[in-house]
Amino acid sequence: MIDEIATLTAYSTDRKVRAEIEQLLGLILSQGRAVGVNVLAAVQDPAKDVLPFRQLFPTRIALRLTEPSQVAMVLGDSARDRGALCDRIPDTLPGVGYVAEEGSSELVRVRAFHVSDDDIARLCKDFCPSDRQHPSRPDVNRTSERRMTLDLRIPAPPSWGRS
């Protein structure tokens, strides 16, 4: 997972380091898929110098963007003409975006869940670590406190690991 890929591809001041990063990322993106390597990269300001190899990402997701040219940079040249109006998504629709998948010319409008600051505060309040007393809920103590765990592991398809 690469948060803000631009720090690797565009904002590095050393040309030699930037060229090596681009070469290695290109290698991982092009040959890593064959052995099950997945790369998730996020960028806030899509531009040619930031995403020089966007075509190597098999799935591209564009959420709300500020300019029509950014839509083309992320989803492809004719994406906006085909209805992906990411630059027109209002602030009132967080998580709305469009997905372009390799091998398909169809763009799919999607809506991801949105977790507000109030939701996060409530989760923190309800599921605090068990080694502390809950400050706002005296009825919850160390022995009866509820816990929440998330299993984020993705099971490998059955074909992986076979020769």
Side-chain angles (χ1 to χ4, degrees), residues 80-123:
R80 202 165 182 288
D81 297 335
R82 293 182 286 144
L85 303 175
C86 299
D87 56 308
R88 292 189 183 172
I89 297 173
D91 292 344
T92 56
L93 294 175
V96 171
Y98 291 87
V99 175
E101 292 187 284
E102 185 176 65
S104 174
S105 61
E106 181 182 355
L107 296 167
V108 179
R109 184 175 179 184
V110 295
R111 177 142 193 201
F113 61 89
H114 174 70
V115 181
S116 70
D117 289 343
D118 291 338
D119 294 333
I120 293 170
R122 192 189 85 249
L123 286 170

Coordinates of all heavy atoms in Angstrom, one line a residue, residues 80-123:
R80 N -14.5 10.8 -19.1 CA -15.5 11.9 -18.9 C -16.6 11.9 -19.9 O -17.7 12.1 -19.6 CB -14.7 13.2 -18.8 CG -15.5 14.2 -18.0 CD -14.6 15.4 -17.7 NE -15.4 16.3 -16.9 CZ -16.4 17.1 -17.4 NH1 -16.6 17.0 -18.7 NH2 -17.1 17.9 -16.7
D81 N -16.2 11.7 -21.2 CA -17.2 11.6 -22.2 C -18.2 10.4 -22.1 O -19.3 10.5 -22.5 CB -16.5 11.5 -23.6 CG -15.7 12.7 -23.9 OD1 -15.9 13.8 -23.4 OD2 -14.7 12.5 -24.7
R82 N -17.7 9.4 -21.4 CA -18.5 8.2 -21.1 C -19.3 8.3 -19.8 O -19.9 7.3 -19.4 CB -17.7 6.9 -21.1 CG -17.1 6.7 -22.5 CD -16.3 5.4 -22.6 NE -15.0 5.6 -21.9 CZ -14.4 4.7 -21.2 NH1 -14.9 3.5 -21.0 NH2 -13.2 4.9 -20.7
G83 N -19.3 9.5 -19.2 CA -20.1 9.7 -18.0 C -19.5 9.8 -16.7 O -20.1 10.0 -15.7
A84 N -18.2 9.6 -16.6 CA -17.4 9.7 -15.3 C -17.2 11.1 -15.0 O -16.1 11.7 -15.2 CB -16.2 8.9 -15.4
L85 N -18.1 11.8 -14.4 CA -18.0 13.2 -14.1 C -17.5 13.5 -12.7 O -18.2 14.1 -11.9 CB -19.4 13.9 -14.4 CG -20.0 13.8 -15.8 CD1 -21.3 14.4 -15.9 CD2 -19.0 14.3 -16.8
C86 N -16.4 13.0 -12.4 CA -15.8 13.0 -11.1 C -15.6 14.5 -10.6 O -15.6 14.7 -9.4 CB -14.5 12.3 -11.0 SG -14.6 10.5 -11.4
D87 N -15.4 15.4 -11.5 CA -15.1 16.8 -11.2 C -16.5 17.5 -10.8 O -16.4 18.6 -10.4 CB -14.4 17.5 -12.3 CG -15.2 17.4 -13.6 OD1 -15.5 16.3 -14.0 OD2 -15.4 18.4 -14.3
R88 N -17.6 16.8 -11.0 CA -18.9 17.4 -10.7 C -19.5 16.7 -9.5 O -20.7 17.0 -9.2 CB -19.8 17.3 -11.9 CG -19.4 18.2 -13.0 CD -20.5 18.2 -14.1 NE -20.0 19.0 -15.2 CZ -20.7 19.1 -16.3 NH1 -21.8 18.4 -16.5 NH2 -20.3 19.8 -17.3
I89 N -18.8 15.8 -8.8 CA -19.4 15.2 -7.6 C -19.4 16.2 -6.5 O -18.4 16.7 -6.1 CB -18.6 13.9 -7.2 CG1 -18.6 12.9 -8.3 CG2 -19.1 13.3 -5.9 CD1 -17.7 11.7 -8.1
P90 N -20.6 16.4 -5.9 CA -20.6 17.5 -4.8 C -20.0 17.0 -3.5 O -19.9 15.8 -3.3 CB -22.1 17.7 -4.7 CG -22.8 16.5 -5.2 CD -21.9 15.9 -6.2
D91 N -19.7 17.9 -2.7 CA -19.2 17.6 -1.3 C -20.2 16.8 -0.5 O -19.8 16.1 0.5 CB -18.8 18.9 -0.6 CG -17.6 19.6 -1.2 OD1 -16.9 19.0 -2.0 OD2 -17.4 20.8 -0.9
T92 N -21.4 16.9 -0.8 CA -22.5 16.2 -0.1 C -22.6 14.7 -0.4 O -23.4 14.0 0.3 CB -23.8 16.9 -0.3 OG1 -24.1 16.8 -1.8 CG2 -23.9 18.3 0.1
L93 N -21.8 14.3 -1.3 CA -21.8 12.8 -1.7 C -20.4 12.2 -1.4 O -19.7 11.8 -2.4 CB -22.2 12.6 -3.1 CG -23.6 13.0 -3.5 CD1 -23.9 12.9 -4.9 CD2 -24.6 12.1 -2.7
P94 N -19.9 12.1 -0.2 CA -18.6 11.5 0.1 C -18.6 10.1 -0.3 O -19.6 9.4 -0.1 CB -18.4 11.7 1.6 CG -19.8 11.9 2.1 CD -20.6 12.5 1.1
G95 N -17.5 9.6 -0.9 CA -17.4 8.2 -1.2 C -17.9 7.8 -2.6 O -17.7 6.7 -3.1
V96 N -18.5 8.8 -3.3 CA -19.0 8.5 -4.7 C -17.8 8.6 -5.7 O -17.0 9.5 -5.5 CB -20.1 9.5 -5.1 CG1 -20.5 9.3 -6.6 CG2 -21.4 9.2 -4.2
G97 N -17.8 7.7 -6.6 CA -16.7 7.7 -7.6 C -17.0 6.8 -8.7 O -18.1 6.3 -8.9
Y98 N -16.0 6.6 -9.6 CA -16.1 5.7 -10.7 C -14.9 4.8 -10.8 O -13.8 5.2 -10.4 CB -16.2 6.6 -12.0 CG -17.4 7.4 -12.1 CD1 -17.5 8.7 -11.5 CD2 -18.5 6.9 -12.8 CE1 -18.7 9.4 -11.6 CE2 -19.7 7.6 -12.9 CZ -19.8 8.9 -12.3 OH -21.0 9.6 -12.4
V99 N -15.2 3.6 -11.3 CA -14.2 2.6 -11.4 C -14.0 2.2 -12.8 O -14.9 1.9 -13.5 CB -14.6 1.3 -10.5 CG1 -13.5 0.2 -10.7 CG2 -14.7 1.7 -9.1
A100 N -12.7 2.1 -13.2 CA -12.4 1.6 -14.5 C -11.5 0.3 -14.3 O -10.6 0.3 -13.6 CB -11.5 2.6 -15.3
E101 N -11.9 -0.8 -15.0 CA -11.2 -2.0 -14.8 C -10.6 -2.4 -16.1 O -11.2 -2.2 -17.2 CB -12.1 -3.1 -14.3 CG -12.6 -2.9 -12.9 CD -13.4 -4.1 -12.4 OE1 -14.6 -4.3 -12.8 OE2 -12.8 -4.9 -11.6
E102 N -9.4 -3.0 -16.0 CA -8.7 -3.5 -17.2 C -9.6 -4.5 -18.0 O -10.2 -5.4 -17.4 CB -7.4 -4.2 -16.8 CG -6.5 -4.6 -17.9 CD -5.2 -5.1 -17.3 OE1 -5.2 -6.2 -16.7 OE2 -4.2 -4.5 -17.6
G103 N -9.6 -4.4 -19.3 CA -10.3 -5.3 -20.1 C -11.8 -4.9 -20.3 O -12.5 -5.6 -21.0
S104 N -12.2 -3.8 -19.7 CA -13.6 -3.4 -19.9 C -13.7 -1.9 -20.2 O -13.0 -1.1 -19.6 CB -14.4 -3.7 -18.6 OG -15.7 -3.1 -18.6
S105 N -14.5 -1.6 -21.1 CA -14.6 -0.1 -21.5 C -15.7 0.5 -20.6 O -15.9 1.7 -20.6 CB -15.0 0.0 -22.9 OG -16.2 -0.6 -23.2
E106 N -16.5 -0.3 -19.8 CA -17.5 0.2 -19.0 C -17.0 0.8 -17.7 O -16.1 0.3 -17.1 CB -18.5 -0.9 -18.6 CG -19.7 -0.5 -17.8 CD -20.6 -1.6 -17.4 OE1 -20.3 -2.7 -17.8 OE2 -21.5 -1.4 -16.6
L107 N -17.5 2.0 -17.4 CA -17.1 2.7 -16.1 C -18.3 2.4 -15.2 O -19.4 2.6 -15.6 CB -16.9 4.2 -16.3 CG -15.7 4.5 -17.2 CD1 -15.7 6.0 -17.6 CD2 -14.4 4.2 -16.5
V108 N -18.0 2.1 -14.0 CA -19.0 1.8 -13.0 C -19.0 2.9 -11.9 O -18.0 3.2 -11.3 CB -18.7 0.4 -12.3 CG1 -19.8 0.1 -11.3 CG2 -18.7 -0.7 -13.4
R109 N -20.2 3.4 -11.7 CA -20.3 4.4 -10.6 C -20.5 3.6 -9.3 O -21.3 2.7 -9.2 CB -21.5 5.3 -10.8 CG -21.6 6.4 -9.7 CD -22.7 7.4 -10.0 NE -22.7 8.3 -8.8 CZ -23.5 9.3 -8.7 NH1 -24.5 9.4 -9.6 NH2 -23.5 10.1 -7.7
V110 N -19.7 4.0 -8.3 CA -19.7 3.3 -7.0 C -19.9 4.3 -5.9 O -19.7 5.5 -6.0 CB -18.4 2.5 -6.8 CG1 -18.3 1.4 -7.8 CG2 -17.2 3.4 -6.8
R111 N -20.3 3.8 -4.7 CA -20.3 4.6 -3.5 C -19.7 3.8 -2.4 O -20.3 2.7 -2.0 CB -21.7 5.0 -3.2 CG -21.8 5.8 -1.9 CD -22.7 6.9 -1.9 NE -22.5 7.8 -0.8 CZ -23.4 8.6 -0.3 NH1 -24.5 8.7 -0.9 NH2 -23.1 9.4 0.7
A112 N -18.6 4.2 -1.8 CA -18.0 3.6 -0.7 C -18.7 4.1 0.6 O -19.3 5.2 0.6 CB -16.5 3.9 -0.7
F113 N -18.5 3.3 1.6 CA -19.1 3.8 2.9 C -18.3 5.0 3.4 O -17.2 5.2 3.0 CB -19.1 2.7 3.9 CG -17.7 2.2 4.2 CD1 -16.9 2.8 5.2 CD2 -17.1 1.1 3.5 CE1 -15.7 2.3 5.5 CE2 -15.9 0.7 3.8 CZ -15.1 1.3 4.8
H114 N -19.0 5.8 4.2 CA -18.3 7.0 4.7 C -18.4 6.9 6.2 O -19.5 6.7 6.8 CB -19.0 8.3 4.2 CG -18.5 9.5 4.9 ND1 -17.3 10.0 4.6 CD2 -19.1 10.3 5.8 CE1 -17.1 11.1 5.3 NE2 -18.2 11.3 6.0
V115 N -17.3 7.0 6.9 CA -17.2 7.0 8.3 C -16.9 8.5 8.8 O -15.9 9.0 8.5 CB -16.1 6.1 8.8 CG1 -16.1 6.0 10.4 CG2 -16.3 4.7 8.3
S116 N -17.9 9.0 9.5 CA -17.7 10.4 9.9 C -16.9 10.5 11.2 O -16.6 9.5 11.9 CB -19.1 11.0 10.2 OG -19.7 10.4 11.4
D117 N -16.5 11.7 11.6 CA -15.7 11.9 12.8 C -16.5 11.4 14.0 O -16.0 10.9 15.0 CB -15.3 13.4 13.0 CG -14.2 13.7 12.0 OD1 -13.6 12.8 11.4 OD2 -14.0 15.0 11.7
D118 N -17.8 11.7 14.0 CA -18.7 11.3 15.1 C -18.7 9.8 15.2 O -18.7 9.2 16.3 CB -20.1 11.8 14.9 CG -20.2 13.3 15.1 OD1 -19.3 13.9 15.7 OD2 -21.2 13.9 14.5
D119 N -18.8 9.1 14.1 CA -18.7 7.6 14.1 C -17.4 7.1 14.7 O -17.4 6.1 15.5 CB -18.8 7.0 12.6 CG -20.2 7.3 12.0 OD1 -21.2 7.4 12.7 OD2 -20.2 7.4 10.8
I120 N -16.3 7.7 14.3 CA -15.0 7.3 14.9 C -15.0 7.5 16.4 O -14.5 6.7 17.2 CB -13.9 8.0 14.1 CG1 -13.8 7.5 12.7 CG2 -12.5 7.8 14.9 CD1 -12.9 8.3 11.8
A121 N -15.5 8.7 16.8 CA -15.5 9.0 18.3 C -16.3 8.0 19.0 O -16.0 7.5 20.1 CB -16.0 10.4 18.5
R122 N -17.5 7.6 18.5 CA -18.4 6.6 19.1 C -17.7 5.3 19.2 O -17.7 4.6 20.2 CB -19.7 6.5 18.4 CG -20.7 5.7 19.2 CD -22.0 5.3 18.4 NE -21.7 4.1 17.7 CZ -21.6 4.0 16.4 NH1 -21.7 5.0 15.6 NH2 -21.3 2.8 15.8
L123 N -17.0 4.8 18.1 CA -16.3 3.6 18.2 C -15.2 3.6 19.2 O -15.0 2.6 19.9 CB -15.7 3.3 16.8 CG -16.7 2.8 15.7 CD1 -16.0 2.8 14.4 CD2 -17.3 1.4 16.1

